[in-house]
């Protein structure tokens, strides 16, 4: 019997599915604290359960940590899918709306184009980073994983993770300085057009 009262033999016979059943209430609370609704959390845990049941994953050295990672991955996937769905719906409404439109508060096409160019440049900067630095940066800034988790997964110290992040931030800052120096303010461009009567 472990100190938390879970029978080792029962866990061994049930594998990850048994550990999942024991951990389900705490996994549910964890997902809700991360921002999932109760229904979303239930759906995510159902997906995790199906994956465990069908794929027969195991044995795993740290089953609880593995389950939390699975739940987090499904949660992040759900968020990305919801974001894409919202953008598709907004694009569809915009494309199919009538002639009469309200005043558009969105950036001008010029501003949008500049932002896209800058994003492409920053993406090239990130792609030019060493693989480990790029992976660490994405996991920390995009996926929102804690530095300790990343360090443990990769097998390096937290200070090494911080050094990789600092390298990524330096590359991005240098690119941003170049971008700020190379581009003109869109308002300035509009002023120039007006002055030349174009």
């Amino acid at each position: 019997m472990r100190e938390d009262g879970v029978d080792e033999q029962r866990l061994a016979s049930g594998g990850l599915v048994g550990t999942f059943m024991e951990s389900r209430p705490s996994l549910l609370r964890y997902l809700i604290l991360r921002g999932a609704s109760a229904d979303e959390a239930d759906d995510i845990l159902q997906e995790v359960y199906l994956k465990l049941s069908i794929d027969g994953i195991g044995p795993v050295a740290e089953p609880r940590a593995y389950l939390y990672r699975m739940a987090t991955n499904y949660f992040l996937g759900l968020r990305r899918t919801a974001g894409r769905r919202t953008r598709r719906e907004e694009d569809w409404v915009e494309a199919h709306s009538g002639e009469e439109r309200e005043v558009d508060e969105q950036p001008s096409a010029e501003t949008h184009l500049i932002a896209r160019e800058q994003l492409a440049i920053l993406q090239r900067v990130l792609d030019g980073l060493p693989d480990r630095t790029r992976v660490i940066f994405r996991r920390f800034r995009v996926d929102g994983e804690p530095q300790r988790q990343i360090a443990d997964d990769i097998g390096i110290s937290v200070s090494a993770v911080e050094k990789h992040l600092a390298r990524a931030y330096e590359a991005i800052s240098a690119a941003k300085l170049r971008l700020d120096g190379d581009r003109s303010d869109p308002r300035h461009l509009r002023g120039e057009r007006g002055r030349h009567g174009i």
Side-chain angles (χ1 to χ4, degrees), residues 24-38:
R24 194 177 192 291
S26 57
L27 285 166
L28 186 67
R29 284 190 302 275
Y30 168 76
L31 289 168
I32 290 171
L33 287 173
R34 293 269 333 234
S37 69

Side-chain angles (χ1 to χ4, degrees), residues 38-128:
D39 288 340
E40 287 174 330
D42 276 334
D43 289 346
I44 290 166
L45 293 180
Q46 183 63 29
E47 289 291 328
V48 170
Y49 176 75
L50 289 173
K51 177 87 171 156
L52 294 172
S53 299
I54 293 169
D55 290 354
I57 301 167
V60 174
E62 296 289 334
R64 289 187 192 278
Y66 184 82
L67 292 170
Y68 276 89
R69 170 62 29 218
M70 279 184 78
T72 299
N73 289 344
Y74 275 104
F75 173 70
L76 294 173
L78 182 70
R79 283 292 182 249
R80 282 190 292 270
T81 300
R84 285 193 296 267
R85 183 183 316 113
T86 300
R87 283 191 298 277
R88 276 195 311 269
E89 289 171 359
E90 288 170 355
D91 290 345
W92 188 90
V93 168
E94 183 177 322
H96 293 88
S97 62
E99 289 295 320
E100 295 179 26
R101 294 185 183 178
E102 294 180 19
V103 176
D104 188 5
E105 298 293 330
Q106 296 297 316
S108 68
E110 180 181 17
T111 304
H112 185 67
L113 180 61
I114 289 169
R116 283 182 57 191
E117 288 173 356
Q118 290 177 345
L119 184 61
I121 290 167
L122 289 174
Q123 184 61 55
R124 284 195 298 272
V125 168
L126 291 176
D127 289 343

